[in-house]
Amino acid sequence: MRIIEAGYKKVYVGDAEEIARAVADIYAAILKAKPNAVLGFATGSTPLPLYAELVRRVAAGEMSFADVTTFNLDEYVGLEPTHDQSYRYFMDTNLFNHIDVDPARVHVPSGISVDVETLAAYDTAIVAAGGIDMQLLGIGCNGHIGFNEPGTPLDSLTHVVELTQNTREVNARFFASLDEVPTHAATMGIKTVMNARQLVLIATGASKADALYATVKGPVTPEVPASALQIHPCAFIFADEAAAAKL
Ligand code: GLP
């Protein structure tokens, strides 16, 4: 992998498979030091090669998630965990069902109970678990992390957001029609994410090039939620050549 120095952060550039192996190595190092680590997972197409690599390593006996606790970033409001486009279903089918994680220690925000108490309880549960050791992130084309759309306060905790038209259109490819894409989502806030001891953001594809440029070379601003990574003491950014093209 080559390294691009971009302001305060380095961006590690390689193809999707190289990124998957490098980030899997980060998980391996964390779990070696702390088998009961608290891990924050993400959805989207970006982490799929990584999840395949983690599944492979668990099957090969190289890694174990038996003692970890997990917290996912977000969930669509209104989708049951069994809905095939819910993020809970995504995580179960792409990772959790294929690794040795204890289902009792898996947490995904509810898309059904989204009252203030339930949302606050998600942050409380993260703190009670000892805080997130490593939070994985993708990035939206508009610079969102989790579902924290542009304009979300940097001090936000878990909350419900109204999805932008752009985000709904980008994600419509997974639904039968745009009308079926939920209008709202429950998401960890930017502060919830920033509280993690380590962040790993992966950006792949040309559609992420502008967002990645703004993330590492633009100002730290709520208008680009991922720009908050610039002020995180331990944030690693991985990108493929297409996403890194404008750096
Ligand atoms: C959704 C998720 C984000 C994810 C983004 C990008 O908006 N809430 O966590 O980073 O999609 O998805 P993809 O990786 O498919 O480009």
Side-chain angles (χ1 to χ4, degrees), residues 43-46 74 87 138-139 144 146-147 171 173 208:
T43 53
S45 46
T46 305
D74 49 9
Y87 283 167
I139 182 170
H144 73 234
F147 264 134
N171 289 357
R173 66 191 190 278
K208 306 294 174 65

Side-chain angles (χ1 to χ4, degrees), residues 163-182:
L163 301 177
T164 64
Q165 183 70 4
N166 171 268
T167 295
R168 293 184 68 238
E169 285 170 3
V170 169
N171 289 357
R173 66 191 190 278
F174 300 113
F175 293 82
S177 70
L178 180 59
D179 286 347
E180 288 188 21
V181 184

Side-chain angles (χ1 to χ4, degrees), residues 190-211:
I190 296 175
K191 187 173 183 187
T192 317
V193 170
M194 290 289 284
N195 281 343
R197 285 184 270 278
Q198 181 176 344
L199 301 178
V200 172
L201 183 143
I202 306 175
T204 52
S207 67
K208 306 294 174 65
D210 287 328

Side-chain angles (χ1 to χ4, degrees), residues 13 19 26 50 82 100 103-104 106 112 122 130-131 177 180 193 206 228 230:
V13 181
I19 294 170
I26 293 176
L50 166 66
T82 50
D100 54 351
V106 166
I112 303 300
Y122 202 69
S177 70
E180 288 188 21
V193 170
Q230 291 182 34

Side-chain angles (χ1 to χ4, degrees), residues 9-244:
K9 296 297 172 198
K10 295 182 172 73
V11 177
Y12 297 86
V13 181
D15 65 32
E17 299 306 319
E18 288 171 325
I19 294 170
R21 288 195 296 274
V23 178
D25 287 345
I26 293 176
Y27 281 95
I30 291 170
L31 293 174
K32 190 174 178 199
K34 187 178 178 185
N36 63 345
V38 179
L39 301 174
F41 284 110
T43 53
S45 46
T46 305
L48 286 174
L50 166 66
Y51 292 165
E53 177 66 10
L54 295 179
V55 169
R56 188 196 67 73
R57 292 190 189 195
V58 171
E62 297 168 20
M63 282 175 83
S64 172
F65 289 81
D67 296 325
V68 307
T69 298
T70 78
F71 289 91
N72 256 79
L73 282 168
D74 49 9
E75 180 60 282
Y76 285 116
V77 169
L79 299 194
E80 297 282 350
T82 50
H83 189 290
D84 68 3
Q85 289 309 324
S86 76
Y87 283 167
R88 174 67 204 221
Y89 185 88
F90 175 98
M91 290 305 302
D92 286 346
T93 52
N94 288 298
L95 184 66
F96 297 146
N97 288 351
H98 310 293
I99 60 175
D100 54 351
V101 68
D102 178 354
R105 286 201 293 272
V106 166
H107 305 84
V108 179
S110 173
I112 303 300
S113 303
V114 289
D115 54 280
V116 172
E117 291 77 18
T118 304
L119 294 164
Y122 202 69
D123 285 287
T124 306
I126 291 171
V127 172
I132 294 173
D133 291 299
M134 193 272 254
Q135 176 65 54
L136 180 67
L137 298 167
I139 182 170
C141 299
N142 60 5
H144 73 234
I145 49 175
F147 264 134
N148 292 285
E149 297 281 30
T152 305
L154 298 180
D155 62 355
S156 51
L157 296 173
T158 303
H159 62 294
V160 167
V161 291
E162 182 172 6
L163 301 177
T164 64
Q165 183 70 4
N166 171 268
T167 295
R168 293 184 68 238
E169 285 170 3
V170 169
N171 289 357
R173 66 191 190 278
F174 300 113
F175 293 82
S177 70
L178 180 59
D179 286 347
E180 288 188 21
V181 184
T183 57
H184 291 75
T187 181
M188 283 185 195
I190 296 175
K191 187 173 183 187
T192 317
V193 170
M194 290 289 284
N195 281 343
R197 285 184 270 278
Q198 181 176 344
L199 301 178
V200 172
L201 183 143
I202 306 175
T204 52
S207 67
K208 306 294 174 65
D210 287 328
L212 189 61
Y213 179 88
T215 294
V216 296
K217 292 211 157 168
V220 176
T221 166
E223 294 313 313
V224 182
S227 67
L229 268 71
Q230 291 182 34
I231 53 174
H232 192 284
C234 187
F236 294 87
I237 300 172
F238 293 84
D240 68 1
E241 293 288 350

